Amino acid sequence: NGVQWREAGLGTRVSGASCDLGERVDAFWQDTTCSDPWAGSRCWRRGTVADGPERGDAFLTVLFDDESLGRSRAPRFRRLHASYIRRAATGGLCLPPHAAASRVGC
């Protein structure tokens, strides 16, 4: 796909791959009650990766499920660094916090 994930500033390849387009995920939802992504499951919402894996910038757009947002009037989508997004199937982060990307090839 022309994108290699690398550790920021180190130039070494990060093992594993970012979450795929259409993959079910849990993503950190920051609002007035949740400012710490590690504060517990109440700050994470279910959704689907809607954009980003091919952009090469370590960010993904998540389209959140309506029922996971409750009565929130916030937009249903957010663009987040992949370290704030976990695979629903395994709980593993889509990318480690230090991940960045660099394009290779033309």
Side-chain angles (χ1 to χ4, degrees), residues 42-106:
R42 67 182 174 81
C43 296
W44 294 77
R45 304 288 185 263
R46 183 63 46 101
T48 303
V49 175
D51 185 42
E54 295 296 323
R55 289 181 182 261
D57 62 1
F59 283 78
L60 301 172
T61 300
V62 174
L63 179 63
F64 290 94
D65 296 350
D66 284 338
E67 61 271 9
S68 77
L69 298 180
R71 294 181 166 251
S72 172
R73 290 189 176 158
R76 287 188 55 212
F77 60 90
R78 288 198 179 167
R79 189 152 168 78
L80 304 163
H81 188 271
S83 65
Y84 288 94
I85 305 169
R86 304 184 297 211
R87 288 182 159 86
T90 65
L93 295 176
C94 289
L95 284 174
H98 55 270
S102 62
R103 287 232 173 244
V104 294
C106 297

